[in-house]
Amino acid sequence: LPGNDIFRHFDNFAVRTLSGAYSVAPGQVTREHLEAAKEVLRRIDVVMILEDLKSHMPQLEKFFKWDVRQQMGGASHRPSRSHRPAEASSSLAAQPSSSDFVNVNGHTSDQYSHSMSNETIAKFNKLNLLDFELYEFGQGIASDRTLHAKRL
């Protein structure tokens, strides 16, 4: 990344991107930008939350006519929020488990839990408050789109 672009990835990146306000100065993303981002999200036909990917597959089946049942199998591909590998049950032994997608860089759970101070986490959360609101809004849109896809 260019040196002058880095802050944007840690300062309401999703709101910046969807609202068209990508170049706004650090700390200057506003609720107006959030509302613009929400409006863009409302116009998107398929909205899926990565952490709940499997549950949103009906959207892909409806809008793209994909048969995703074989690709998803019976296993959940949801990584652990705590960055700790999930225990694989014997019924899922042949399927990829969430542990296949966690700690891919070799860090331990302890290293993940100590990678940022509480102060840094609080600052990050404050800097990205509007992105967190957009995420919550997006979860609702994704759920609505999935329910609609299941009904058709």
Side-chain angles (χ1 to χ4, degrees), residues 70-151:
Q70 285 184 328
Q71 287 78 13
M72 291 307 293
S76 170
H77 293 197
R78 185 178 182 169
S80 167
R81 289 187 186 269
S82 65
H83 300 288
R84 280 183 237 125
E87 305 255 280
S89 71
S90 59
S91 65
L92 301 178
Q95 297 291 331
S97 71
S98 59
S99 64
D100 292 332
F101 303 102
V102 179
N103 295 334
V104 294
N105 62 5
H107 290 86
T108 66
S109 296
D110 189 55
Q111 288 170 316
Y112 277 117
S113 66
H114 293 94
S115 62
M116 292 188 348
S117 69
N118 289 337
E119 180 183 348
T120 300
I121 291 169
K123 183 176 182 178
F124 178 83
N125 289 343
K126 184 178 178 182
L127 282 172
N128 290 283
L129 182 64
L130 299 177
D131 263 6
F132 286 115
E133 288 187 40
L134 182 62
Y135 177 77
E136 287 180 16
F137 177 80
Q139 287 177 308
I141 295 284
S143 292
D144 290 347
R145 300 281 192 276
T146 297
L147 286 174
H148 179 72
K150 286 180 177 180
R151 285 188 220 140

